[in-house]
Amino acid sequence: MAPSSNSDVTTAMRVQDAVVKYGFIAVTILLFVYFAATEPAFRTPGALFSMLKFASVTAILGLGMTYVMAVGGMDLSIGSTAGLAVQMAAMTMVFYNMTGGTAALAVILAGVLVGLANAFLIVVCKIPDLLATLGMMFVIQGAKLIPVDGQSVSAGMVLPDGSPAPGKFTASFLLIDRGAIGPVPYPVILMLVLTIVSWFILDRTKWGRMMYAIGANPEASRLAGVNVGYYRGLAYVLCGLFAAIGGLILVSRIGQGDVNAGASSLLEAVAVALVGTSVLGIGRPNAWGTLLGALLIGIVLTGLTMKGFSYYYQDTAKGLVLIVALLFSFTISRKKVRYTPAT
């Protein structure tokens, strides 16, 4: 009877591993097929590309969070950084009448500076990442409103001195979100390019291997001679950069400096990065998993919208997606998830 028992255990383990490895992908495909079968508009090329464009900002911010989670950290300021990018781009063009290219450079620089500030607080000042980035989140949320007196920035608005704003959003800047190559929107192309770049960095370079090693066991990495502070700081700088890029797409999409822009981006970025740990049973933050997580959330929200569900169902749907992903990673999987807080 013993061989039979061992055989049953082995078969159960194989089934369990298969569920963990392919279950989340199967859920994504089944949801896509369901919405495509029940909503004819869902399966049109226009709707599919709109869904991908909608998911692009979440995916890009999630990729930034993936770097930070790879080193065992968390960046609570990522949504505020995206909102800062929105406000800075609008101010540069509307208040100061500068070009879209200048606005884009200013936004990228701001994102990198936020990442450097977070890295300084965490690596040099030894402040735990959650506390440091929480403080930075509040600083940014207030600082971005001070120059505009808490107002959204739009063309033709009245400045504090009573004069009309001299500038406007340039047509070339608006193309960041509204342009396309053939049927493929620019944000979708940028999302895919950044996913490939992030996959290459994390999976095919020394930098990525060191980041994963630090996330798995920072003390062992330090004893092995790894410059833990450098790689942790690099992860936060990359996160700030990706947040700024996501903010550029967002501001070119809405066409104004909305004071509430980026408000929900933090939770979405964390959700898709955590979802990514369950894809293919990898058990660690990874670029392709983050992309799939963003696409799954895009599928769910687009499908629910087409079925007439109100906007307040969306947060519940996001939460359920995250819970299902975490069940795959932490409950069903026999493989320990490689996410260990570094501080």
Side-chain angles (χ1 to χ4, degrees):
M1 295 296 292
S4 176
S5 178
N6 290 337
S7 176
D8 291 342
V9 171
T10 302
T11 301
M13 291 171 61
R14 287 175 179 172
V15 171
Q16 182 179 359
D17 289 342
V19 169
V20 171
K21 190 170 185 179
Y22 302 110
F24 200 78
I25 295 176
V27 169
T28 304
I29 294 173
L30 288 173
L31 282 172
F32 182 85
V33 170
Y34 168 73
F35 286 123
T38 57
E39 294 293 334
F42 185 88
R43 55 180 179 264
T44 62
L48 293 177
F49 281 119
S50 294
M51 179 186 67
L52 291 173
K53 190 167 83 166
F54 170 80
S56 62
V57 174
T58 300
I60 291 170
L61 267 63
L63 289 170
M65 188 64 75
T66 300
Y67 287 105
V68 172
M69 289 179 57
V71 297
M74 185 69 69
D75 187 352
L76 299 182
S77 67
I78 189 170
S80 297
T81 304
L84 176 66
V86 171
Q87 204 76 329
M88 282 197 64
M91 288 177 59
T92 303
M93 289 181 285
V94 175
F95 281 15
Y96 305 111
N97 200 21
M98 294 185 178
T99 64
T102 303
L105 288 174
V107 165
I108 295 298
L109 178 60
V112 171
L113 289 175
V114 170
L116 286 171
N118 282 331
F120 176 78
L121 292 173
I122 295 165
V123 176
V124 179
C125 300
K126 308 298 183 182
I127 301 175
D129 55 348
L130 289 175
L131 300 180
T133 57
L134 178 65
M136 185 61 65
M137 178 185 76
F138 285 122
V139 168
I140 295 172
Q141 284 179 344
K144 72 179 183 179
L145 300 179
I146 293 173
V148 297
D149 292 330
Q151 302 179 64
S152 295
V153 179
S154 58
M157 69 179 295
V158 178
L159 299 178
D161 62 4
S163 62
K168 64 178 182 178
F169 281 78
T170 64
S172 59
F173 185 87
L174 294 175
L175 284 176
I176 294 175
D177 179 72
R178 304 174 189 181
I181 296 179
V184 187
Y186 286 158
V188 177
I189 297 172
L190 184 58
M191 174 181 69
L192 293 174
V193 169
L194 291 177
T195 299
I196 293 171
V197 170
S198 297
W199 163 78
F200 182 80
I201 291 174
L202 289 171
D203 284 50
R204 293 293 185 270
T205 68
K206 174 186 175 182
W207 295 343
R209 289 192 294 272
M210 293 301 100
M211 287 180 181
Y212 280 136
I214 292 167
N217 194 325
E219 186 58 29
S221 300
R222 186 178 292 107
L223 293 175
V226 177
N227 189 340
V228 174
Y230 169 78
Y231 288 105
R232 290 181 65 206
L234 177 61
Y236 283 95
V237 171
L238 289 171
C239 187
L241 173 63
F242 277 58
I245 295 172
L248 278 176
I249 297 174
L250 189 58
V251 67
S252 65
R253 178 173 302 170
I254 61 181
Q256 66 173 354
D258 189 345
V259 294
N260 295 315
S264 64
S265 297
L266 165 62
L267 298 180
E268 293 173 354
V270 172
V272 298
L274 284 172
V275 165
T277 64
S278 68
V279 176
L280 293 177
I282 294 175
R284 65 185 184 186
N286 65 93
W288 292 112
T290 297
L291 176 64
L292 184 63
L295 295 182
L296 175 57
I297 289 178
I299 289 170
V300 171
L301 298 187
T302 302
L304 291 178
T305 300
M306 287 187 174
K307 286 188 167 297
F309 285 87
S310 300
Y311 71 92
Y312 44 78
Y313 284 88
Q314 295 185 1
D315 286 341
T316 300
K318 294 175 190 176
L320 289 174
V321 169
L322 177 57
I323 289 173
V324 170
L326 296 179
L327 286 172
F328 279 113
S329 296
F330 291 93
T331 305
I332 303 175
S333 177
R334 294 185 296 112
K335 183 178 181 181
K336 185 178 179 181
V337 175
R338 290 180 56 188
Y339 172 64
T340 309
T343 55

